[in-house]
Amino acid sequence: MSDAALQTVFKSFCAFGGGKDAQPLMDNAKFGKLFRDLKLYDKKFTSTDTDIIFSRPEVKAKSERKINFDQFKKALELCAEKKYGNKSDVGKLIEKICAGKGPAAVGATKVAKVGGVDRLTDTSKYTGSHKERFDESGKGKGIEGRVDRDDKAAEGYVGGYKGKDTYDKKN
């Protein structure tokens, strides 16, 4: 495979989520995303391996957070060595990378088909104490649905007081 095809894939993953002004530099998250999206992980080669390889001094200096295309190619050699057992198999890995699609936006937010207000005001989905606030038709009960009324509690502020209206009476 040519460097141009590999560079196209590299740039597409670099630009993912970075907007139109993204520079052709790849961070560790996008490096891992490349292998995850192209389904290149297996039992011998895991995401932990890519994290370790990305941080190795052969790939980049310790103070750097991103790699350029040349450093990316060096990292692919180390990945091929880990995955296939030999650095010379880097061509096989590059072939799989170039044959794959670009970055995928997995887990994107899905828009509900029912309107937001309709879902939030559907009283049949209410549970617990909120369910008690509405009748069968979905109409609110007002204060009766919000406050627990106890007949004895309405007589005074102490529910268990037995001497109601006895304060002014003398024995």
Side-chain angles (χ1 to χ4, degrees):
M1 285 283 154
S2 69
D3 265 4
L6 183 62
Q7 195 159 16
T8 303
V9 174
F10 172 77
K11 285 181 179 178
S12 69
F13 276 92
C14 288
F16 182 75
K20 51 187 166 179
D21 297 333
Q23 294 179 336
L25 295 172
M26 183 178 282
D27 62 4
N28 191 9
K30 291 176 184 169
F31 187 65
K33 181 173 179 49
L34 178 133
F35 288 94
R36 192 173 39 260
D37 285 0
L38 300 178
K39 296 180 176 42
L40 296 173
Y41 288 133
D42 56 23
K43 289 188 183 225
K44 277 180 70 177
F45 183 67
T46 64
S47 62
T48 305
D49 294 321
T50 54
D51 289 341
I52 292 168
I53 288 169
F54 188 85
S55 299
R56 288 187 50 186
E58 301 98 89
V59 176
K60 67 176 188 64
K62 206 172 200 174
S63 62
E64 293 177 354
R65 296 183 56 92
K66 297 183 178 189
I67 59 175
N68 60 27
F69 183 67
D70 292 329
Q71 292 167 321
F72 174 70
K73 289 196 306 187
K74 179 64 180 166
L76 289 182
E77 286 177 16
L78 297 171
C79 290
E81 182 178 13
K82 178 68 180 165
K83 186 170 176 64
Y84 301 115
N86 193 354
K87 278 186 185 180
S88 62
D89 288 333
V90 71
K92 195 189 305 185
L93 183 62
I94 290 172
E95 224 173 272
K96 287 185 177 185
I97 290 171
C98 292
K101 297 175 184 174
V106 179
T109 304
K110 294 176 185 166
V111 176
K113 292 185 169 113
V114 179
V117 174
D118 293 340
R119 278 188 300 110
L120 294 172
T121 57
D122 184 2
T123 58
S124 67
K125 304 250 190 291
Y126 289 176
T127 59
S129 63
H130 301 292
K131 192 175 198 175
E132 304 298 323
R133 295 179 63 185
F134 300 91
D135 61 13
E136 296 79 33
S137 68
K139 186 174 184 316
K141 294 180 182 177
I143 190 97
E144 295 301 318
R146 291 191 301 275
V147 176
D148 288 336
R149 297 238 178 216
D150 187 12
D151 291 339
K152 289 182 182 177
E155 294 175 355
Y157 65 91
V158 179
Y161 183 67
K162 296 197 181 347
K164 180 181 174 212
D165 295 331
T166 59
Y167 180 74
D168 291 335
K169 294 181 182 176
K170 294 186 180 183
N171 292 344

